[in-house]
Amino acid sequence: MGGPKAPKDPEKKRPGFYIMRNKQVAGSAQPDGTGVQFIYLNDGRMLSSARIVGGITDEEMLDLLATTEGFRRLVHSIGVSVEMDGADKKAEFVFQMYGKSDMYGSGTTLRMEVPADGMECVLDLSDCDWSDDDDIPGQIRFVFDEPQKDGAAAQAQVAVKFYLNDGFTAPEPEEEGQVDFACSAYQEMLRRSLVQTGNNARLKAAIERAKRGEDTTIAFIGGSITQGAGAVPINTKCYAWRTFEGLCRLAGKGVDENIHYVKAGVGGTPSELGMIRYERDVCRDGSVTPDIVVVEFAVNDEGDETKGVCYESLVRKILAAKNKPAVILLFAVFANDWNLQERLGVVGERYHLPMVSTRDCVVEQFYRKAGEGKVVTKNQFFYDCFHPTNIGHQIMSDGLVYLMQEVDSSPMDEDTLDLAAVPAVIGDAFEQVWLYDRDSEADTVKIVSPGDFADTDEELQGVEMNRDLTQTKEFPYNWKHTKGAEPFVMEICCTGLLMVNKDSGAPNAGCARVFVDGEEVLFADPKVNGWTHCNPLICFQNRERRTWRVEVRMQPGDEDKEFTILGFGVVS
């Protein structure tokens, strides 16, 4: 192979810091046949990555990253490397700024083709055309010629580094070794993760049924971590699947034998939605009877309007099933060491439930030195400020499997739980909640008129259920408003009611008002959260059981805008 006779002297590299380093990615299938990995930067994600991955502690630099204007003052160029198996492969690196007037449409989008040979390519920001409507750094995408194949390992390993303008400096990156999952310090981490085994009767009985070869189902309900966010591939490296595999090993069974698996995580949603969709997404409308249910909402429930009543209502709903399933409470953690364990742990204490804390497992050792008990760094554990990497998912699953091993090796307790005799510690107002949508039939509900909410929305939040790599649309049987002032009207007999609406960042999304017997009870703004997902909101609760007239009207001035009622949570 030839080369230049007089190679140009290398340009001295500027100081910089990583926001992604040795991260595994995989392309989800897109309608055009490509595969795309989305990495979101908003809601503090990029600042957290700068702290955790890049070691940035300068608050001025972190503040600059919060806006596109500040980003351009700080960052001179972006270094990107992609490594894949096989020669001549490539990927497209996309960096999108969210716009002020149109989040996804009016901001600058930077693009660069990157050979997948592990060599760094540099995108000079001075060569880019910038939009006057730029607001914040929004997302990174890696686009591949084809999606990840089912059963395949990670599609690529990537790194993204910000090189700085003159006047800014960054620390040298911390060296990281391999995580030693066999060391004594790791075993101590797992012991710390076990908050309590509680009364082990239900869990031990389920494990013994699995060992005997009887049909046994383990189910997982939660937010994006349970969905598998950060795991690559999302379907077989997530903590839920790894825990299922651990149960199969404990029972001496293969993954395709008598032990069955249900994964029902929905990103960005609290137990307020989980309690509404439990029968549909976990029990599959009566076709599935779970024996073990792992509940993971410890980092999603900050948005729960009831501050724990919905969580306890969900737990009681599961415990009340005739087959007496075991409930395991799992407390995940964010990169700022936060979760709602103190709020939600009292539910586990009240009903003597097994509880596992990822926060207790990893946070303390994050701040130790290598060789003094530090097993895993934050960069190794977190994919972004909210979600774990493959390593993080493995640690979460190892904590759950450790619990099951402890229960398996212990004598069986007597099952003393009498739910009717145990008062709620936070509240149980929604224990009997059920989902009503456009596909439902109920004697207690009459749709008087859909009004101008007569269309069906197809652009919905999708999630990878069970072992699927393809996404299942959430709440497909909905009522969509496109244009007009005629309200949606129904008569419903209940004591409490929640409306699930579609959140959206689209510029044509409008607001709606909910009236009960003529009184306004709820104002729903789909742009509060600013992205397409399912948002439950309480209309009323703890009222007398009678028939109520419910009307959903578009906010005056928004009659020509879109709004979608995904369904209702009904307390009978």
Side-chain angles (χ1 to χ4, degrees):
M1 180 180 294
K5 293 181 179 179
K8 184 179 178 180
D9 288 341
E11 183 177 340
K12 184 178 179 180
K13 278 198 173 181
R14 293 172 171 271
F17 62 89
Y18 289 99
I19 61 163
M20 299 183 69
R21 181 184 178 199
N22 300 326
K23 294 297 185 186
Q24 293 180 317
V25 300
S28 299
Q30 303 300 304
D32 63 359
T34 62
V36 179
Q37 173 77 64
F38 296 89
I39 297 109
Y40 297 99
L41 306 176
N42 57 331
D43 294 334
R45 290 177 174 89
M46 188 162 73
L47 277 67
S48 180
S49 294
R51 290 189 182 98
I52 294 170
V53 186
I56 301 300
T57 58
D58 187 315
E59 291 298 326
E60 179 188 356
M61 291 174 61
L62 293 169
D63 288 344
L64 290 173
L65 289 173
T67 65
T68 302
E69 180 183 0
F71 175 83
R72 293 178 60 184
R73 284 178 53 200
L74 177 68
V75 179
H76 173 274
S77 49
I78 305 173
V80 182
S81 65
V82 178
E83 189 168 0
M84 300 171 67
D85 293 333
D88 301 326
K89 292 189 176 181
K90 63 184 185 303
E92 184 183 32
F93 169 77
V94 182
F95 195 120
Q96 181 178 356
M97 304 294 162
Y98 287 164
K100 296 174 184 175
S101 59
D102 180 355
M103 177 182 291
Y104 301 114
S106 63
T108 300
T109 299
L110 311 176
R111 300 177 184 273
M112 177 173 63
E113 188 174 280
V114 182
D117 57 5
M119 290 296 293
E120 184 182 65
C121 295
V122 178
L123 178 65
D124 191 330
L125 300 189
S126 64
D127 295 334
C128 303
D129 293 326
W130 295 89
S131 168
D132 293 334
D133 201 48
D134 283 333
D135 187 13
I136 61 172
Q139 62 176 261
I140 285 171
R141 299 191 295 274
F142 286 93
V143 184
F144 303 97
D145 290 339
E146 59 183 9
Q148 181 186 26
K149 293 180 174 62
D150 192 10
Q155 194 159 347
Q157 182 168 280
V158 302
V160 177
K161 188 173 185 179
F162 291 162
Y163 291 104
L164 303 177
N165 282 314
D166 295 341
F168 297 100
T169 60
E172 289 297 316
E174 176 186 7
E175 292 299 322
E176 296 178 329
Q178 295 293 318
V179 177
D180 185 357
F181 292 104
C183 69
S184 59
Y186 185 66
Q187 296 307 308
E188 177 58 31
M189 286 171 57
L190 297 184
R191 284 191 287 272
R192 286 199 303 270
S193 76
L194 182 53
V195 179
Q196 67 177 37
T197 56
N199 185 301
N200 70 18
R202 292 189 176 196
L203 181 54
K204 190 171 180 68
I207 294 170
E208 291 185 350
R209 286 194 297 273
K211 286 183 173 182
R212 291 194 298 266
E214 299 176 21
D215 283 333
T216 306
T217 298
I218 182 169
F220 302 80
I221 186 167
S224 56
I225 295 176
T226 295
Q227 184 180 340
V232 181
I234 195 171
N235 59 340
T236 57
K237 292 300 182 182
C238 60
Y239 87 82
W241 178 259
R242 287 172 177 263
T243 303
F244 163 72
E245 290 180 314
L247 176 59
C248 292
R249 289 193 301 270
L250 183 62
K253 306 296 180 181
V255 297
D256 295 318
E257 294 186 51
N258 61 296
I259 304 176
H260 310 293
Y261 172 71
V262 174
K263 181 185 72 169
V266 176
T269 65
S271 57
E272 190 170 345
L273 185 71
M275 68 181 186
I276 296 172
R277 62 183 182 85
Y278 177 76
E279 282 82 6
R280 184 196 64 187
D281 287 356
V282 174
C283 301
R284 307 298 157 94
D285 295 322
S287 64
V288 172
T289 304
D291 300 278
I292 303 169
V293 182
V294 178
V295 179
E296 179 271 314
F297 283 109
V299 291
N300 280 65
D301 266 13
E302 184 67 13
D304 169 22
E305 300 172 83
T306 67
K307 306 303 180 186
V309 175
C310 292
Y311 183 85
E312 186 170 8
S313 296
L314 171 62
V315 170
R316 287 180 65 97
K317 177 199 287 273
I318 302 168
L319 289 172
K322 292 181 180 179
N323 68 313
K324 296 185 176 181
V327 175
I328 299 172
L329 305 186
L330 175 62
F331 305 124
V333 67
F334 280 164
N336 63 355
D337 307 335
W338 175 90
N339 68 14
L340 289 168
Q341 186 171 328
E342 281 68 33
R343 177 202 288 179
L344 305 179
V346 297
V347 175
E349 293 169 0
R350 173 57 58 95
Y351 305 102
H352 305 289
L353 303 179
M355 295 191 283
V356 173
S357 171
T358 306
R359 187 190 72 183
D360 292 357
C361 178
V362 298
V363 168
E364 180 185 344
Q365 63 84 50
F366 281 149
Y367 301 98
R368 295 179 181 176
K369 295 180 180 179
E372 298 180 6
K374 188 171 192 172
V375 178
V376 59
T377 67
K378 279 195 174 185
N379 180 51
Q380 289 170 318
F381 184 91
F382 288 104
Y383 196 88
D384 57 23
C385 60
F386 301 132
H387 307 109
T389 59
N390 284 3
I391 289 172
H393 277 278
Q394 179 175 342
I395 292 171
M396 291 183 69
S397 70
D398 284 350
L400 289 166
V401 173
Y402 179 80
L403 160 68
M404 292 190 285
Q405 291 170 336
E406 289 294 298
V407 168
D408 182 51
S409 62
S410 302
M412 182 179 284
D413 297 331
E414 179 184 355
D415 188 356
T416 58
L417 180 60
D418 179 3
L419 202 60
V422 181
V425 63
I426 304 176
D428 59 359
F430 302 100
E431 183 180 338
Q432 302 297 326
V433 72
W434 52 279
L435 170 63
Y436 183 85
D437 61 17
R438 199 167 187 164
D439 193 48
S440 303
E441 294 182 5
D443 293 338
T444 56
V445 184
K446 177 184 177 182
I447 303 299
V448 177
S449 171
D452 288 319
F453 294 74
D455 293 338
T456 299
D457 199 334
E458 300 288 346
E459 297 181 10
L460 304 171
Q461 181 177 11
V463 298
E464 297 86 356
M465 304 290 280
N466 301 336
R467 199 181 173 181
D468 297 340
L469 270 176
T470 56
Q471 292 192 336
T472 298
K473 290 183 178 180
E474 284 287 299
F475 298 95
Y477 308 110
N478 55 68
W479 297 272
K480 179 182 178 181
H481 175 277
T482 303
K483 185 176 182 180
E486 288 299 311
F488 170 95
V489 182
M490 72 175 177
E491 294 176 350
I492 182 166
C493 184
C494 61
T495 63
L497 185 70
L498 301 93
M499 182 177 74
V500 185
N501 69 275
K502 171 187 164 181
D503 277 342
S504 173
N508 64 336
C511 299
R513 302 158 71 191
V514 181
F515 298 83
V516 175
D517 288 356
E519 175 192 1
E520 184 171 354
V521 297
L522 180 65
F523 179 79
D525 181 354
K527 291 187 176 181
V528 168
N529 293 299
W531 62 288
T532 302
H533 85 303
C534 317
N535 188 20
L537 296 166
I538 296 172
C539 299
F540 63 86
Q541 60 180 308
N542 297 322
R543 293 193 179 185
E544 64 174 303
R545 188 177 189 275
R546 66 172 179 85
T547 298
W548 306 88
R549 184 180 177 88
V550 178
E551 297 186 12
V552 183
R553 297 178 174 272
M554 294 304 293
Q555 167 79 354
D558 286 358
E559 292 87 353
D560 291 341
K561 294 186 177 181
E562 296 182 355
F563 185 91
T564 301
I565 304 168
L566 296 173
F568 294 93
V570 184
V571 184
S572 295

